[in-house]
Amino acid sequence: DYFEASAKPGELKSICFALSLFHAVILERKKFGPQGWNRVYPFNLGDLTSCAQVAMNYLETYPKIPWDDLKYIFGEIMYGGHITDFFDRVLALSYLDSYLKDDLMEGAELFPGFMAPVNSGSVKDIMEHVEFTIPQESPSAFGLHPNAEIGFRMKQASSMFAQIRELQPRSAGKGAGMSPQEMAKQKLEELLERMPDRLD
């Protein structure tokens, strides 16, 4: 209903598709740590929905899509309002430059191996396009070198092994491999041995 309310539903769907990809990429990029963003930013769904509404308003107002205006509003104001680092702002604007362009309507390649849907059909068609054509996630989808994943995977592995280590029993030797009931019984017996003899 949201798309059909627009005078240019095809263009709006394409822009919203690119915006959704942009939103997903900037959220997921933080998992690469400082290689992803110099700082962590609180991007949220409200940013995406506000941008979609702005896109709709601009499409209603202008006969031609004002790409530069949209990129400025999205990159400098909506999402850019969260960004405090200069280089992070340049990065966000670079993403928008590569996603929001005239080629988007003709099925532009948004990242290696993934094309924008051409003549966007229904929302169901778009979801199927994503499900069946999006390649497996890799650093190239974020504009990073393939080696960027090494640091992320090492951090993931270290975290997993630290959690496994935390789950291991704390004491080795005395009481190792015993159930809690057996350990309680053993402790009780030790206490009884230390008790003084009963007085008559």
Side-chain angles (χ1 to χ4, degrees):
D1 292 344
Y2 171 76
F3 293 120
E4 296 309 320
S6 170
K8 300 172 185 168
E11 288 89 341
L12 183 60
K13 285 177 191 173
S14 293
I15 292 171
C16 286
F17 183 83
L19 272 173
S20 298
L21 179 65
F22 170 72
H23 183 77
V25 166
I26 63 171
L27 283 179
E28 290 295 312
R29 193 178 164 99
K30 65 183 166 190
K31 73 182 175 187
F32 294 101
Q35 285 181 322
W37 293 106
N38 290 318
R39 293 186 174 82
V40 178
Y41 301 108
F43 302 121
N44 58 53
L45 194 59
D47 300 319
L48 178 60
T49 53
S50 298
C51 288
Q53 189 59 52
V54 167
M56 182 187 234
N57 294 342
Y58 266 72
L59 286 173
E60 302 295 320
T61 307
Y62 295 94
K64 233 180 119 182
I65 302 171
W67 293 115
D68 291 335
D69 293 355
L70 292 175
K71 286 186 266 195
Y72 181 83
I73 291 170
F74 302 157
E76 295 283 355
I77 299 169
M78 301 295 202
Y79 284 92
H82 299 294
I83 301 173
T84 56
D85 185 86
F86 171 76
F87 292 108
D88 288 345
R89 188 179 299 275
V90 169
L91 173 67
L93 290 169
S94 298
Y95 275 129
L96 289 169
D97 277 339
S98 65
Y99 294 160
L100 299 177
K101 53 190 175 184
D102 286 325
D103 295 352
L104 181 65
M105 305 304 156
E106 286 103 40
E109 187 175 46
L110 298 174
F111 63 83
F114 185 62
M115 311 296 276
V118 182
N119 298 328
S120 301
S122 68
V123 174
K124 185 182 176 207
D125 295 337
I126 295 170
M127 296 300 285
E128 284 176 3
H129 172 77
V130 171
E131 189 174 337
F132 295 115
T133 63
I134 196 164
Q136 185 176 357
E137 186 182 299
S138 69
S140 63
F142 302 96
L144 295 166
H145 189 274
N147 287 346
E149 197 166 32
I150 294 170
F152 165 64
R153 295 290 179 203
M154 293 289 285
K155 186 177 170 186
Q156 244 185 351
S158 296
S159 172
M160 181 183 73
F161 287 126
Q163 289 174 6
I164 290 171
R165 191 174 56 242
E166 288 292 318
L167 294 173
Q168 296 301 309
R170 295 267 185 232
S171 59
K174 204 174 195 182
M178 296 171 65
S179 71
Q181 291 83 4
E182 291 170 333
M183 290 175 71
K185 185 178 178 189
Q186 182 184 18
K187 197 67 163 166
L188 184 61
E189 288 169 358
E190 287 175 15
L191 287 172
L192 287 172
E193 285 173 12
R194 291 191 300 186
M195 292 289 288
D197 293 334
R198 296 183 78 166
L199 290 174
D200 187 350

